[in-house]
């Protein structure tokens, strides 16, 4: 088993005047490893085609490189303005994830079942808020927009014994 994670993030605040504030934030991360993707058979079990599992708790008899590689990043920009009697704020944000997984499903030394799973996710959001107060009421009103797209591409199982299972 192996695991490697790295990430960076930052945030900047800019106040051009007494009533205005801009906040920018961003992040980027990469995770690589085989955690959750490496498969091992229970001791004493027989694998597909009668193969016995190899000895040892951490041994994998996979014939394919098993891995999970994930990269994700995002950014946001927020503007806030003090109106005296209340405040208005506007937020825009973006986020993306891309992942590629390669998993030996049969756990034998023969390439019988190998899954390749690619995943992408992308989101956008915008928000406009008005905050204020009256003698006996604090209020927030606004509008919100959110858009997301997700896909598995490729999503397939490679096998010499099964008909093609690519989607």
């Amino acid at each position: 088993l192996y695991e490697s994670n790295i990430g960076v993030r930052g945030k900047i605040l800019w106040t051009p005047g007494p009533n205005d504030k801009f906040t920018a934030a961003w992040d980027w991360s990469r995770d690589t490893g085989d955690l959750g993707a490496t498969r091992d058979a229970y001791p004493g079990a027989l694998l597909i085609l009668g193969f016995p599992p190899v000895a040892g708790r951490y041994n994998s008899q996979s014939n394919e490189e098993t891995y999970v590689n994930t990269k994700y990043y995002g950014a946001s920009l927020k503007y806030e303005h003090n109106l005296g009697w209340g405040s208005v704020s506007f937020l825009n944000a973006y986020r993306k994830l891309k992942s590629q997984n390669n998993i030996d499903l049969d756990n034998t030394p023969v390439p019988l079942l190998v899954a390749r799973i690619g995943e992408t996710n992308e989101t956008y959001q915008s928000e406009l808020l008005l905050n204020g107060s009256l003698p006996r009421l604090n209020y927030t009103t606004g509008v919100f927009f959110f858009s997301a797209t997700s896909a598995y591409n490729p999503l397939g199982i490679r096998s010499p014994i099964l008909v093609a299972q690519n989607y």
Side-chain angles (χ1 to χ4, degrees):
L1 297 173
Y2 72 94
E3 187 75 21
S4 172
N5 303 311
I6 186 170
V8 293
R9 65 180 174 179
K11 191 174 195 179
I12 294 175
L13 172 64
W14 179 46
T15 52
N19 294 322
D20 297 304
K21 180 167 62 169
F22 289 90
T23 306
W26 65 94
D27 67 274
W28 175 90
S29 296
R30 184 190 73 210
D31 299 334
T32 57
D34 61 359
L35 189 62
T38 300
R39 307 171 79 71
D40 199 5
Y42 190 78
L46 286 180
L47 305 175
I48 217 168
L49 298 180
F51 285 104
V54 290
R57 181 176 179 177
Y58 297 104
N59 290 339
S60 172
Q61 52 194 20
S62 173
N63 59 304
E64 290 279 332
E65 180 186 11
T66 296
Y67 61 83
V68 177
N69 292 329
T70 305
K71 293 179 185 174
Y72 44 98
Y73 56 89
S76 66
L77 178 63
K78 184 176 184 179
Y79 169 69
E80 298 170 87
H81 180 74
N82 184 348
L83 300 168
W85 52 269
S87 66
V88 63
S89 66
F90 184 68
L91 170 72
N92 272 321
Y94 171 78
R95 184 143 211 77
K96 185 167 186 174
L97 172 141
K98 187 168 186 175
S99 182
Q100 181 64 50
N101 306 325
N102 195 55
I103 304 170
D104 186 347
L105 297 173
D106 59 79
N107 195 26
T108 68
V110 180
L112 297 177
L113 294 168
V114 178
R116 292 194 45 83
I117 305 165
E119 177 185 5
T120 58
N121 295 297
E122 195 168 22
T123 63
Y124 299 93
Q125 79 176 53
S126 291
E127 177 180 282
L128 175 64
L129 294 178
L130 176 64
N131 298 296
S133 60
L134 297 172
R136 297 181 63 190
L137 176 69
N138 292 329
Y139 61 89
T140 299
T141 186
V143 293
F144 180 78
F145 169 79
F146 181 79
S147 174
T149 55
S150 297
Y152 286 112
N153 186 17
L155 174 59
I157 296 177
R158 190 178 72 231
S159 173
I161 59 174
L162 294 176
V163 177
Q165 300 294 313
N166 298 315
Y167 301 99

